[in-house]
């Protein structure tokens, strides 16, 4: 990295295991988390097979993965949980605003109650302080988890190192954000405040209505997330990894081995299995006996294919809850939260809202193109699950990264490789325990 933030941590290089410690590992899921686990396990010397019905390989549709359609930011400022103090009073206001960042399927509320209850409990000030310090540590380790994978796969050209902007229309909105910005600064997040004139100079494509902005200096973005994921998968294959293109229905024991099965048929067998199937991980974990408070937060994107040059860096107006990210393929407006689990179709009025608001924020946008719905794998406390299954120590869980999986996938892979190799993990994994709720 150019001028890395001095607060970033650099753990000792991952040791390769001696031949006797080499394990066969099956990784379930080829999103950013699964592929990062696979690559770090490989670097540690293990023999790795990845199973996924739709991996990022040429000719395979990859759109169902959250890693395909996100806002593409490697968000070095993302140290705050989603559930912040005051969220309980903010939610009704957000739900009543059709252009607001949050929506839900009311019929699903009874089923969501345990998740919502834990979410509200996570917003207590003492919890927010604890979670922020854990996320801060993870984010300070993020470069150590992601950059070696980017370099090894030769993907540096797909990473834009421009920082990203949070923009505020009024001084009052900027003032209201101060406490949160201060909490980020305390975790080593580097920021620069921009006045209106400077913002207009740096982002002339934005409507000139903004009074202030904050640039998160270390944040990067991907030029093309699909090619980025394909590059990681190719790198994995070129180093001897194998991919089985099929969905795992269950992970079962066969003596000392663990087998990933589909329709009772073995897809792959290993000494260890890593479950990294994003929002689909809850069912796989439940099959082992682990009841995990994981749910899906639906998020959308709208692509403006003619407008990739309209902005110089990703921009977010926090009031609307989505980013506008310039990519090689166009300008992607991606984000918002919709509670409603897996399986339901896209809601056209949410897409219309993102398109309408994007046109309000950016000048002269051309026609909208592809629209997308994806599923964030979300835990109520915004912390992922990383660690051994309480029901089966030969299974490692790696999921639940919510809004920041692209950012935290790399370090998660590194932590999983350390665990699989019997090495002390680069940070304490207790906050990520599967059964913490
Ligand atoms: C709109 C939106 C914007 C976002 N913006 C950002 C951002 O800017 N920065 C950031 O850091 N994060 C962002 N995120 C979050 C990030 O995209 C996710 O946290 C991350 O992609 C999760 O990665 P994953 O590997 O856990 O899951 P996924 O990417 O969903 O991958 C899971 C994989 O598992 C596979 N799978 C599912 N079931 C099975 C099975 N039974 N057997 C085998 N394989 C299976 C799927 O096919 C898929 O390939 C955003 C998310 C959304 C939705």
């Amino acid at each position: 990295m150019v001028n890395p933030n001095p607060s970033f941590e650099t753990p000792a290089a991952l040791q390769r295991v001696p031949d006797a410690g080499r394990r066969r590992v099956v990784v379930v899921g080829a999103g950013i988390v699964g592929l990062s686990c696979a690559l770090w396990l490989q670097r540690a010397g293990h023999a790795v097979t990845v199973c996924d019905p739709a991996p990022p390989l040429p000719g395979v549709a990859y759109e169902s993965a959250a890693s395909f359609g996100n806002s593409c930011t490697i968000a070095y400022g993302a140290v705050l949980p989603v559930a912040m103090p005051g969220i309980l009073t903010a939610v009704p206001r957000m739900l009543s605003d059709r252009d607001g960042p949050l929506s839900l399927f009311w019929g699903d509320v009874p089923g969501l109650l345990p998740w919502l209850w834990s979410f509200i409990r996570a917003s207590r000030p003492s919890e927010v302080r604890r979670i922020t310090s854990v996320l801060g540590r993870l984010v300070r380790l993020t470069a150590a988890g992601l950059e070696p994978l980017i370099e090894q796969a030769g993907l540096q050209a797909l990473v834009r190192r421009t920082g990203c902007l949070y923009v505020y229309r009024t001084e009052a909105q900027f003032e209201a954000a101060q406490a949160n910005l201060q909490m980020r600064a305390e975790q080593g997040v580097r920021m620069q405040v921009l006045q209106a004139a400077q913002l207009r100079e740096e982002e002339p494509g934005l409507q000139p209505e903004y009074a202030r902005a904050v640039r998160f200096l270390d944040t990067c973005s991907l030029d093309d997330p699909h090619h980025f994921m394909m590059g990681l998968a190719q790198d994995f294959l070129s180093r001897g990894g194998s991919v089985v293109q099929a969905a795992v229905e269950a992970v079962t024991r066969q003596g000392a081995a663990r087998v990933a099965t589909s329709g009772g048929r073995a897809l792959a067998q290993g000494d260890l299995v890593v479950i990294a199937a994003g929002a689909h991980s809850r069912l796989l974990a439940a099959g082992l006996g682990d009841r995990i408070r994981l749910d899906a937060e639906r998020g959308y994107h709208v692509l403006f294919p003619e407008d990739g040059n309209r902005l110089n860096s990703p921009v977010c107006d926090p009031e609307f809850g989505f980013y506008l990210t310039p990519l090689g393929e166009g300008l992607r407006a991606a984000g918002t939260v919709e509670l409603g689990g897996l399986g339901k179709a896209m809601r056209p009025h949410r897409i219309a809202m993102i398109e309408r608001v994007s046109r309000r924020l950016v000048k002269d946008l051309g026609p909208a193109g592809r629209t997308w719905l994806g599923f964030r794998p979300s835990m109520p406390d915004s912390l992922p699950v990383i660690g051994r299954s309480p029901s089966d120590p030969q299974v490692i869980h790696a999921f639940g990264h919510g809004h920041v999986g692209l950012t935290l996938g790399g370090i998660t892979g590194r932590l999983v490789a350390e665990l699989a190799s019997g090495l002390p993990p680069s940070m304490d994994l207790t906050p990520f325990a599967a059964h913490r709720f």
Side-chain angles (χ1 to χ4, degrees):
M1 286 182 89
V2 197
N3 294 328
N5 182 330
S7 73
F8 287 177
E9 296 182 33
T10 320
L14 183 75
Q15 292 162 30
R16 269 183 86 81
V17 289
D19 281 352
R22 196 166 185 255
R23 322 286 300 271
R24 291 167 309 150
V25 188
V26 178
V27 176
V28 183
I32 184 65
V33 177
L35 280 182
S36 300
C37 291
L39 286 159
W40 275 106
L41 285 159
Q42 223 177 24
R43 281 168 78 101
H46 303 292
V48 186
T49 302
V50 172
C51 299
D52 193 313
L57 295 177
V60 181
Y62 189 54
E63 282 77 359
S64 60
S67 303
F68 170 84
N70 55 40
S71 312
C72 313
T73 64
I74 300 167
Y76 282 100
V79 298
L80 302 183
V82 178
M84 292 292 283
I87 191 90
L88 197 53
T89 46
V91 161
R93 183 169 36 80
M94 287 193 246
L95 286 174
S96 66
D97 178 0
R98 265 181 81 78
D99 286 354
L102 177 68
S103 71
L104 53 71
F105 289 82
W106 286 100
D108 287 352
V109 170
L112 273 170
L113 282 177
W115 192 95
L116 288 171
W117 173 241
S118 301
F119 179 79
I120 289 161
R121 286 181 64 76
S123 73
R124 288 172 296 164
S126 58
E127 272 298 272
V128 169
R129 274 195 300 279
R130 180 188 68 82
I131 295 165
T132 301
S133 90
V134 176
L135 282 174
R137 183 84 204 282
L138 265 182
V139 167
R140 289 193 295 278
L141 283 162
T142 282
L146 201 51
E147 293 291 339
L149 303 186
I150 292 171
E151 264 167 49
Q152 166 182 298
L155 297 173
Q156 296 92 329
L158 290 183
V159 182
R160 298 183 181 192
R161 300 184 187 276
T162 58
C164 79
L165 287 168
Y166 267 32
V167 290
Y168 303 93
R169 258 174 299 130
T170 62
E171 286 293 333
Q173 283 175 338
F174 177 66
E175 282 309 313
Q178 288 310 303
N180 286 3
L181 295 175
Q182 178 59 29
M183 287 171 78
R184 293 183 207 260
E186 283 163 12
Q187 295 302 323
V189 176
R190 295 197 298 187
M191 292 166 278
Q192 178 198 10
V193 175
L194 273 63
Q195 307 297 332
Q198 197 181 355
L199 175 62
R200 278 200 289 276
E201 201 172 299
E202 294 192 13
E203 289 294 356
L206 267 187
Q207 297 289 3
E209 61 184 287
Y210 288 98
R212 295 277 197 132
V214 172
R215 185 176 295 284
F216 292 89
L217 295 168
D218 297 307
T219 290
C220 316
S221 58
L222 298 182
D223 184 68
D224 182 333
H226 191 193
H227 277 104
F228 183 83
M229 294 304 298
M230 296 224 292
L232 293 182
Q234 282 308 323
D235 188 49
F236 169 69
L237 289 171
S238 73
R239 291 168 198 278
S242 46
V243 174
V244 175
Q245 195 181 330
V248 173
E249 280 174 16
V251 176
T252 58
R253 295 173 188 231
Q254 235 172 56
R258 297 294 176 270
V259 189
T261 64
S262 168
R265 190 172 59 88
L267 296 172
Q269 181 169 323
D271 308 308
L272 273 178
V273 171
V274 177
I275 296 183
H280 301 267
S281 302
R282 189 177 66 188
L283 271 182
L284 290 167
L288 298 163
D290 294 340
R291 293 170 67 82
I292 299 181
R293 200 150 287 180
L294 176 76
D295 221 304
E297 278 182 71
R298 296 152 56 97
Y300 289 89
H301 88 217
V302 177
L303 181 72
F304 296 91
E306 295 173 9
D307 298 296
N309 294 328
R310 206 60 73 184
L311 298 176
N312 295 314
S313 63
V315 172
C316 174
D317 179 337
E319 190 182 336
F320 300 108
F322 65 86
Y323 272 94
L324 292 147
T325 305
L327 309 177
E329 65 172 6
L331 185 70
R332 182 184 285 190
T336 69
V337 168
E338 188 170 59
L339 299 177
L342 295 162
K344 293 191 192 69
M346 202 180 256
R347 290 213 283 197
H349 73 269
R350 295 302 288 172
I351 290 288
M353 178 284 264
I354 293 174
E355 183 180 343
R356 190 170 61 249
V357 174
S358 300
R359 292 186 190 286
R360 195 175 134 191
L361 305 185
V362 183
K363 292 177 194 164
D364 304 326
L365 278 182
R370 185 182 63 228
T371 56
W372 175 86
L373 165 68
F375 303 93
R376 298 180 189 89
S378 294
M379 298 294 290
D381 59 359
S382 303
L383 294 176
V385 176
I386 307 172
R388 292 189 189 277
S389 152
S391 307
D392 183 346
Q394 299 313 103
V395 176
I396 296 176
H397 292 320
F399 50 78
H401 295 72
H403 292 234
V404 285
L406 176 62
T407 308
L408 301 182
I411 183 58
T412 300
R414 185 169 182 152
L415 292 165
V416 164
E418 290 165 348
L419 201 58
S421 308
L423 297 166
S426 293
M427 76 176 278
D428 175 23
L429 299 182
T430 314
F432 312 123
H435 280 180
R436 60 187 185 266
F437 293 102

